[in-house]
Amino acid sequence: MSLSTVTAAPAQRANLAEQVYAQLKAELHDFTWVPGDRFSEAEIGQRVGVSRTPVREALFRLRNEGFLDVESKTGWFVKPIDFGKLDELYDLRIVLELDAVAKLVARHEDPPALETLKAVWLVPAALRSADARAVGELDEAFHATLVSAAGNAEIAKVHQDVTERIRIVRRLDFTRADRIEATYQEHAKILRAVIQRKLDVAQMLLRAHIEQSKVEVRKISLHAMHQARQRGG
């Protein structure tokens, strides 16, 4: 028996677990599952067409990320959204991003990464995207680029972890056209203030932008969960 034959099964299982994980996480982000929903490993396996082993690996990964939990007698369930924890994570975002902006403004020249941001956010309204998912990804990239461009790789890793943990509600901020429009306008103002080395203005705008997003996603999340429960009912 060749080594490739021996290792094929574990490799295939890992690939299946990754696929199940990605599908379930996307469903959580879209509120296909809502807090309190319960299910078994067998139910998930039957629905997605894989064995319980990769399903279990995917579910435990989601539990480690804080989305799910499991009880010995009742099985798996979607954890309630901890808005207090989300508020703390948004506050941490503010600290990290304000520090990044301060470092960027202190530079004599703009890092090349800012040119990429200009090409996305400093564009005429006719060239802006209206696709919620695309704008959500662009928004994450905007904030991640500001942090990474400041030059501290460890801070960028912490910021990326925060991004992962708030994504379940953050992407909802772009399900409304007015929020997409506000994001383009606010990002453009922040970026211009950084380029013009206006530290106080840039930090004020950035703080207000994140604080408003925090308020909006709480309202939209509660509304999305209510609608999901009505569909389920």
Side-chain angles (χ1 to χ4, degrees):
M1 182 181 294
S2 67
L3 181 61
S4 60
T5 303
V6 173
T7 58
Q12 183 180 32
R13 185 178 68 245
N15 184 54
L16 288 173
E18 180 65 31
Q19 292 177 24
V20 175
Y21 164 81
Q23 178 176 336
L24 293 180
K25 193 167 185 178
E27 291 173 356
L28 287 165
H29 287 159
D30 292 336
F31 286 96
T32 303
W33 302 94
V34 296
D37 281 352
R38 293 183 177 272
F39 52 88
S40 68
E41 294 172 6
E43 290 169 342
I44 296 297
Q46 183 175 16
R47 182 166 69 85
V48 301
V50 301
S51 67
R52 291 180 64 178
T53 299
V55 169
R56 186 178 299 115
E57 291 178 10
L59 293 177
F60 273 102
R61 185 174 171 185
L62 289 167
R63 188 187 74 163
N64 291 340
E65 294 179 2
F67 296 108
L68 307 176
D69 210 343
V70 62
E71 295 175 341
S72 58
K73 295 183 179 180
T74 58
W76 289 90
F77 63 94
V78 181
K79 293 180 66 175
I81 294 177
D82 186 343
F83 284 107
K85 177 63 69 176
L86 285 172
D87 285 347
E88 292 176 354
L89 291 169
Y90 269 85
D91 290 344
L92 178 55
R93 266 191 70 195
I94 291 172
V95 172
L96 298 176
E97 295 187 28
L98 291 183
D99 176 74
V101 164
K103 288 183 171 65
L104 289 172
V105 170
R107 292 190 173 195
H108 296 296
E109 296 182 357
D110 293 333
L114 293 192
E115 292 298 322
T116 303
L117 297 184
K118 291 179 188 179
V120 174
W121 300 103
L122 301 185
V123 295
L127 298 180
R128 296 172 181 173
S129 174
D131 181 82
R133 186 174 295 275
V135 176
E137 293 173 354
L138 290 171
D139 172 70
E140 286 189 9
F142 174 83
H143 292 276
T145 300
L146 286 180
V147 175
S148 62
N152 188 314
E154 293 303 317
I155 290 178
K157 288 179 183 178
V158 174
H159 185 266
Q160 181 59 38
D161 177 65
V162 172
T163 297
E164 289 285 342
R165 295 168 68 184
I166 67 175
R167 184 175 291 135
I168 190 170
V169 296
R170 182 176 178 178
R171 292 287 177 89
L172 291 172
D173 201 17
F174 308 104
T175 55
R176 289 180 6 210
D178 63 315
R179 292 300 302 152
I180 291 177
E181 176 67 19
T183 297
Y184 269 100
Q185 293 179 358
E186 292 165 13
H187 282 192
K189 291 178 181 178
I190 293 166
L191 188 54
R192 288 192 180 100
V194 171
I195 294 168
Q196 295 168 6
R197 303 297 188 269
K198 297 179 179 179
L199 176 58
D200 291 344
V201 175
Q203 291 187 325
M204 178 193 68
L205 291 170
L206 182 61
R207 180 187 292 275
H209 171 66
I210 298 175
E211 290 282 5
Q212 186 61 36
S213 177
K214 180 173 67 173
V215 171
E216 293 294 336
V217 297
R218 180 189 286 262
K219 292 190 296 185
I220 298 170
S221 297
L222 292 171
H223 181 64
M225 285 188 289
H226 176 69
Q227 288 185 317
R229 289 193 179 99
Q230 286 188 320
R231 289 196 302 269

